[in-house]
Each structure stands twice: as C-alpha cells, then as structure tokens.
Amino acid sequence: MFLALLELRAARGRFLLMGSVVVLVAALIGIVSGFTTGLGDDTISALRRLPAAQLVFSSDARSDQFARSLLDAKTADAWSKDADTETTPLGVSITRGTTNRGTEVDLAAFGVEPGSFLAPSVTEGDSLAGAADSMVMSAKLADEGVRVGDTLVIDRLGIELRVVGATERSSYGHVPVAYVPLKTWQRIRFSTPGAPASAIPGQFSALALRTPPDGASTAALDARYSTTTLTKEKAYEAAPGYTGERVTMNSIQVFLYLIAPLVVGAFFAVWTVQRQPELALLRAMGASRRRLLAHTVLQAALVVVLGTAAGAVLAGAVGLLVGEQVPFSLPAATLAATMCTVAAVGLAGTALTLRRVTRADPLTMLGANR
C-alpha cells in the first residue's frame, strides 16, 4: 500500500489527469441519469399518482391510448358489473387556456368524477366539486402564475373554469395537470365553438380499476367488450413521448457505461507498460504476483472511487443549479446506484492491465535482454 501511495504522489500529474477524466465521466452519467428520471417524471407523474391498479382502453387504440381511446358509459357499466371491482372513468387531453389576469398556460385536463377514488387530494383551497366550472390545479401551474381563485378560460372554446384548489406537483406529457369534472372534460374534448351541449358524447379515455378484477378473466372481459386492459405501469407507454425519451436517454447511459471502463483501462494499460522496469525490479526483489496485483488494484480503486465521488458531487451541484428550470430529478438513491455502477465498470476496466502486471519478468533487471 505504501508503494502504491508513493507512486500516486510521484506521478500525481498523470493520476490527476486520469482522475479528472473519471470525474467528468461520472458527472456526465449522473447528469444524464438525472435528466432521464426528470423527463420521466415530467411525462408520467400524474399517471404514477393515480390510485388505480389497471386501466381499460378501447381495443382499436393500439398506441397513444389516452389520445385515441374512447369508451362509453354503457360499455363501462357492463365491464364494471362483470369484473366485480370498483371502477371510475378517466378522461385525458391536452389543451390551453388564459386566466383572468392574462396568464397563458398549457394544461393536461384530467376528467374525473368528483368524490371518486381518482379525485385528487388538495394541498390548498377546496376539493374538486360537482360544479361544472370547478378545477383543481397542479402546483406546477402555480409556478406559471395561476392562483387559487383565478378563472381560466379554455382557448377557442370559451369554457370558463374556476380554480378552487391546488394539489401536489404532477404533469402529463411535460404539461401541468388540471383536474376537472368529467362532464367538463367532455366539453373540452368534444365540443366545438357554437355546438349545442346535446351534441357532446358521453365518452371518456379510459376506465380506471382500483383493484384487479376478482374471480374474472381480464382477457375474457376484453374479448367480450372489445377493450384492452393494461396495468398502470404498462399504461405509462401511452403517454406522449415517454417511450422514445426513455430509449434515447437509456441508450446514452449505456454508451457512457461502456466508455468508462475503456478510458480507465486504456490509462492503466499505458501506465503498466511504462512501469514494466519497476515491476520487474520488484519481482527480482522478491515481491509476489499477488502483491503486485494488490498494488495495481489499489491505485485504480483510489483513482476511480475518488473520481466517482467527485463526479457525484458535481452532478448533484448541477441538479441544484438547474433547479426547477428543466425536468431534472436525481434522488440520493438513484445517484448512489449510478455512481456505484460507474465505479464498478471503471474498476472492471483495470482488469485489462492485470495480466501484464503478473507477467512482469524479474530477469529483465538481471540482463536477460542483453
């Protein structure tokens, strides 16, 4: 160990350079992980908070179900009766509105039945009421300037919504969520300017199941009523852009995990070649192969672990810096798991150099090459 630390001190410039590379790679992976988690939360946090086990969609909607699926009350009632489980309709659509104070916002309107298990709990103001013009907003809308007590007018339709309460931060498709009564959502989703109220169909996007059907086959119910039942987690893929974003960000992370061991391995491979005379001298003086291996692994561990720790601090600092300006989320557990993986793959890269360390020939120092 003393020799390993002595070499680190003697060649501190090289090790600082390598350590800096490890810091940057670890920080980059941590930042990408934060954006992956943040983008995912910004896309599906409202769906994740739904107290539902499964969601039932129309079978003709094979992708983007929340935008394409339509169920009617007759189908929902029959499905619920046969499934023998608590259900409630859910409508989801993205729209735009302007408050009475001139604040323009995009919002994802979630149509729910007031008093149902999908009705949001509030952190400010009143709960969602049966009044057609009531609305409970996400805290993200408050960040954009909407306040409890404001009146929000849906663009093009002129539908007025009174903000009666606020709930925790949630979004859908990178748009803040607003909860409205189901009938109001149907007006937002289906009405056109000047159309009579009687022309609005009593349809909705999905049927939410509080618990899975008890004693009934979901597949049989889907076949009978031409529906598709998905778990809530599987329904995340129906959110706009969720799958594409996850594939893109995860691919970047995978490539960074592949780059880390190659960079570390290349450095220590060059370092081992340069140290061949010293390693041969140690072997000639009686040092065992095990000791040389421990010496090399200790050097690599110090560089990788310390560099990874510094990278974690840098990634966390970036998260604090960007704050709420961009979708970035890096919980301590996620950061720790990411950095442990970085350290593990970095140390794996040193395995490329271990064979050359064990093959150091003591005869080199006794003139075998002369």
Side-chain angles (χ1 to χ4, degrees), residues 13-23 260 263-265 267-268 303:
R14 298 178 186 179
F15 283 104
L16 284 174
L17 179 61
M18 183 57 209
S20 300
V21 174
V22 175
V23 169
V263 171
V264 175
F267 171 81
F268 278 98
V303 173

Side-chain angles (χ1 to χ4, degrees), residues 116-130:
S116 69
F117 64 85
L118 290 187
S121 58
V122 297
T123 56
E124 180 186 355
D126 299 324
S127 301
L128 190 66

Side-chain angles (χ1 to χ4, degrees), residues 96 151-161 187 191-193:
R96 184 173 178 82
T151 299
L152 187 143
V153 180
I154 300 299
D155 290 356
R156 188 178 61 85
L157 301 176
I159 299 173
E160 294 187 358
L161 301 174
R187 292 175 59 202
S191 66
T192 56

Side-chain angles (χ1 to χ4, degrees), residues 14 264-276 353 356:
R14 298 178 186 179
V264 175
F267 171 81
F268 278 98
V270 173
W271 175 244
T272 302
V273 170
Q274 293 176 339
R275 293 166 57 230
Q276 281 299 302
T353 68
R356 185 176 289 274

Side-chain angles (χ1 to χ4, degrees), residues 58-59 71 74-75 78-80 82 220-227:
S58 60
S59 59
L71 294 174
K74 181 179 179 180
T75 300
W79 210 105
S80 302
D82 289 350
L221 291 171
D222 284 339
R224 185 181 309 163
Y225 296 110
S226 299
T227 57

